């Protein structure tokens, strides 16, 4: 493109906005986390890296290792996210596969529309819908108890009592799945839809069993899309605090986000909250870098094609 | 060529009844299981929200059982309906105003950024692309903590109260 300055000028306002509200905002976390507090426990950010005080970071690191004060919520968050991602894949992959490979004609459009519909409904609205249904006496609670699923989960140790909104791990994990699975299905659909049907047919013609064709053609070809989809739902889940708040509200199911939210919004120790946020970001950075690499490789491939 | 008159016979391969594995995996077969899963998923994803909408038209106070239709919670109730409760009205107005402002800012900004990044090649394009993707993979919470601390420490002249912050989410 010859007059590249036009495109650069178009991009600059957006870049500046992101620079101000993303990069500078992140630097604010760094400055508060490496800062100090006043006698009134108001945070005193240290904007100059030479003045950084590692005290709060050190406290935060001590709190997330086993035995520390936030270790429980950190470990719980990790288990919730892994369980929710596995369940989301179990639900999302067949759905995306059906939409990409088997839905035909007008029905394909209808199914895609219905799969995209949750995007246009606020996340909070979708969670509140479940609080209606899972409240004691609600339709879902009555149905689940009639199937004695509460007894089943009780005997498996995943639930205590029969109040679905009373701090149940299983309810929070199901709510996470419900909330995030649409965001997994669409990238999965996109990557499965791109696979050439003839490659699967060729594998079958050359003697692969259906399962063999699936494992040796479909899985490798959709690997990047699947991993990108997993990262796309797992990262926000690690910062989630409103789902456990709405679905249980009990400290028994508090996630790492609840700890951060408590310190930053309510508690006196905003600097400690900022330090926890930095630790979470550092932990997630690995996943982010991986996602960015996959995506850029994908883009480059798409541009070459 | 000489057997042109021979009757056409269909190949006599044994046609076993397809096993469940074929049904699951065969890309030419009829995937009943997959179709069922998909439609169950769609029902699961939408019915709770439809029921929540239905509860808005309930005539009773319950949010767990249906008690007949009414517009009580919209304007008929003199105190508790959205139309008659000043706090709910203020909240609704806030949401509409905020959504409008956000739309007016983000649409031109985002469209220009998308157009620009698609065509812009050369120095700076790579970092700009990464900057665009970072918010997508950053948990909202990290983003929000950053903004909150930015507004309360660096830009504290804006005076963002706790109330305004809470109603933003």
């Amino acid at each position: 493109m010859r007059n590249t300055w036009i495109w650069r000028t178009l991009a600059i306002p957006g870049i500046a906005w992101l620079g101000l509200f993303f990069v500078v905002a992140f630097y604010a976390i760094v400055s508060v986390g490496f800062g100090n507090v006043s006698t009134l426990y108001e945070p005193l950010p240290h904007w100059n890296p030479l003045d950084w005080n590692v005290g709060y970071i050190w406290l935060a690191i001590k709190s997330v290792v086993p035995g520390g004060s936030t270790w429980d919520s950190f470990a719980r968050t990790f288990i919730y996210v892994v369980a929710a991602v596995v369940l989301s894949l179990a639900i999302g992959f067949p759905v995306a596969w059906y939409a990409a490979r088997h839905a035909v004609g007008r029905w394909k459009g209808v199914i895609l529309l219905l799969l995209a519909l949750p995007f246009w409904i606020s996340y909070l609205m979708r969670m509140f819908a479940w609080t209606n249904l899972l409240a004691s006496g609600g339709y879902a609670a009555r149905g689940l108890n009639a199937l004695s699923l509460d007894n089943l989960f009780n005997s498996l140790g995943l639930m205590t009592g029969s109040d679905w909104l009373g701090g149940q791990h299983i309810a929070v994990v199901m709510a996470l799945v419900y909330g995030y699975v649409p965001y997994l299905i669409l990238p999965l659909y996109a990557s499965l839809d791109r696979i050439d049907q003839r490659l699967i047919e060729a594998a079958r013609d050359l003697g692969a069993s259906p399962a063999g064709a699936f494992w040796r053609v479909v899985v490798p070809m959709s690997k990047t899309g699947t991993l990108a989809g997993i990262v796309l739902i797992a990262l926000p889940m690690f910062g989630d605090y409103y789902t456990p708040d709405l679905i249980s509200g009990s400290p028994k199911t508090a996630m790492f986000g609840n700890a951060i939210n408590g310190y930053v919004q309510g508690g006196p120790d905003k600097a400690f909250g900022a330090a926890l946020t930095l630790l979470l970001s550092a932990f997630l950075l690995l996943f982010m870098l991986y996602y960015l690499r996959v995506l850029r490789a994908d883009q480059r491939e798409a541009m070459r094609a | 060529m000489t057997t042109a008159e021979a009757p056409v016979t269909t190949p006599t391969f044994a046609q076993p009844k397809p096993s469940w594995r074929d049904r699951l995996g065969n890309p030419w077969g009829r995937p009943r299981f997959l179709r069922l899963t998909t439609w169950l998923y769609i029902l699961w994803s939408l019915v709770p929200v439809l029921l929540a909408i239905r509860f808005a038209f309930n005539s009773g106070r319950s949010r767990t059982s249906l008690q007949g239709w009414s517009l009580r919670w919209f304007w008929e109730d003199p105190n508790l309906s959205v139309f008659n409760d000043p706090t709910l009205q203020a909240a609704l107005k806030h949401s509409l105003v905020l959504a409008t402002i956000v739309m007016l800012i983000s649409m031109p900004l985002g469209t220009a950024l998308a157009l620009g990044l698609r065509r812009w090649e050369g120095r700076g394009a790579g970092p700009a692309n990464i900057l665009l993707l970072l918010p997508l993979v950053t948990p909202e919470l990290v983003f929000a903590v950053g903004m909150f601390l930015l507004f309360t420490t660096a830009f504290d002249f804006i005076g963002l109260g706790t109330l305004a912050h809470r109603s933003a989410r």
Side-chain angles (χ1 to χ4, degrees):
Chain A
M1 200 60 51
R2 195 168 301 143
N3 39 10
T4 180
W5 63 270
I6 294 181
W7 308 117
R8 204 183 316 163
T9 317
L10 272 178
I12 278 172
I15 296 291
W17 183 278
L18 283 177
L20 180 60
F21 290 111
F22 189 78
V23 178
V24 178
F26 194 82
Y27 192 69
I29 309 181
V30 175
S31 315
V32 172
F34 282 100
N36 216 326
V37 292
S38 70
T39 41
L40 295 170
Y41 291 102
E42 284 300 312
L44 290 174
H46 289 178
W47 298 98
N48 183 349
L50 293 176
D51 300 339
W52 277 356
N53 156 32
V54 292
Y56 281 97
I57 297 289
W58 179 237
L59 277 181
I61 290 174
K62 278 198 290 189
S63 85
V64 294
V65 293
S69 60
T70 54
W71 159 252
D72 274 354
S73 64
F74 186 71
R76 192 182 295 128
T77 305
F78 194 82
I79 295 170
Y80 282 0
V81 171
V82 170
V85 165
V86 169
L87 284 171
S88 298
L89 267 182
I91 296 170
F93 204 97
V95 172
W97 177 253
Y98 181 78
R101 292 274 132 202
H102 295 291
V104 280
R106 198 158 19 121
W107 281 110
K108 186 159 181 155
V110 173
I111 286 175
L112 281 181
L113 179 75
L114 291 172
L115 291 181
L117 215 50
F119 278 84
W120 298 324
I121 307 167
S122 142
Y123 190 92
L124 288 186
M125 166 93 186
R126 294 168 63 223
M127 286 301 129
F128 277 127
W130 274 103
T131 60
N132 292 341
L133 297 172
L134 286 176
S136 53
Y139 293 117
R142 270 191 283 167
L144 292 168
N145 291 352
L147 296 168
S148 51
L149 280 177
D150 54 338
N151 294 333
L152 175 70
F153 289 134
N154 267 307
S155 60
L156 290 175
L158 295 170
M159 191 173 166
T160 43
S162 60
D163 178 8
W164 290 88
L165 293 180
Q168 310 294 355
H169 301 300
I170 194 108
V172 175
V173 170
M174 283 318 292
L176 285 173
V177 173
Y178 183 79
Y180 288 99
V181 78
Y183 302 95
L184 175 66
I185 288 181
L186 287 197
L188 266 182
Y189 167 82
S191 79
L192 289 174
D193 199 48
R194 257 187 311 203
I195 296 174
D196 196 332
Q197 177 79 24
R198 288 171 303 181
L199 292 176
I200 304 169
E201 288 169 7
R204 295 283 277 121
D205 288 345
L206 294 171
S209 66
F214 185 81
W215 279 111
R216 300 174 86 166
V217 177
V218 175
V219 170
M221 291 196 74
S222 63
K223 204 176 90 187
T224 50
T226 310
L227 288 173
I230 290 174
V231 169
L232 208 59
I233 63 167
L235 290 177
M237 271 191 219
F238 272 109
D240 197 327
Y241 65 93
Y242 28 91
T243 306
D245 262 5
L246 290 169
I247 292 297
S248 100
S250 150
K252 273 197 302 181
T253 58
M255 292 173 74
F256 199 62
N258 293 89
I260 292 178
N261 184 41
Y263 281 110
V264 171
Q265 269 213 53
D269 249 350
K270 292 193 172 47
F272 184 66
L276 285 180
T277 314
L278 287 180
L279 287 189
L280 179 68
S281 311
F283 173 73
L284 298 181
L285 192 68
L286 297 171
F287 297 95
M288 284 187 211
L289 289 178
Y290 177 74
Y291 174 72
L292 292 178
R293 220 193 68 188
V294 167
L295 210 67
R296 293 198 59 192
D298 237 34
Q299 272 176 352
R300 235 172 276 141
E301 209 167 288
M303 276 182 189
R304 223 181 293 136
Chain B
M1 285 160 227
T2 52
T3 58
E5 298 300 311
V8 179
T9 54
T10 49
T12 53
F13 295 124
Q15 289 278 336
K17 207 170 181 295
S19 71
W20 65 270
R21 286 185 69 170
D22 287 335
R23 283 187 198 285
L24 284 182
N26 178 359
W28 298 274
R30 274 224 189 131
R32 279 170 226 170
F33 171 76
L34 284 174
R35 187 196 280 172
L36 183 72
T37 313
T38 303
W39 285 106
L40 282 179
Y41 164 75
I42 288 173
L43 281 179
W44 177 65
S45 72
L46 296 177
V47 166
V49 177
L50 294 177
L51 277 173
I53 294 172
R54 168 65 186 83
F55 280 124
F57 295 95
N58 230 1
S59 62
R61 258 175 172 279
S62 172
R63 56 171 196 162
T64 52
S65 54
L66 302 178
Q67 295 163 316
W69 296 84
S70 83
L71 293 171
R72 181 179 165 192
W73 306 109
F74 290 88
W75 56 76
E76 281 177 5
D77 196 286
N79 302 312
L80 301 168
S81 57
V82 178
F83 191 73
N84 290 314
D85 183 335
T87 28
L88 288 179
Q89 250 187 25
L92 187 63
K93 213 159 82 186
H94 260 137
S95 294
L96 290 176
V97 168
L98 284 174
T100 312
I101 294 174
V102 168
M103 196 182 70
L104 288 179
I105 295 176
S106 57
M107 216 172 69
L109 217 59
T111 313
L113 185 59
L115 276 173
L117 279 186
R118 182 75 187 87
R119 303 277 169 81
W120 174 19
E121 285 161 8
R123 230 176 329 138
N129 256 307
I130 289 183
L131 185 63
L132 176 68
L133 289 170
L134 270 177
L136 276 182
V137 290
T138 307
E140 268 175 320
L141 180 66
V142 175
F143 219 164
V145 168
M147 300 267 230
F148 180 66
L149 293 176
L150 184 67
F151 288 133
T152 50
T153 58
F155 299 168
D156 52 2
F157 53 87
I158 293 177
L160 193 75
T162 332
L163 265 180
H165 175 68
R166 287 231 174 93
S167 56
R169 166 80 231 177

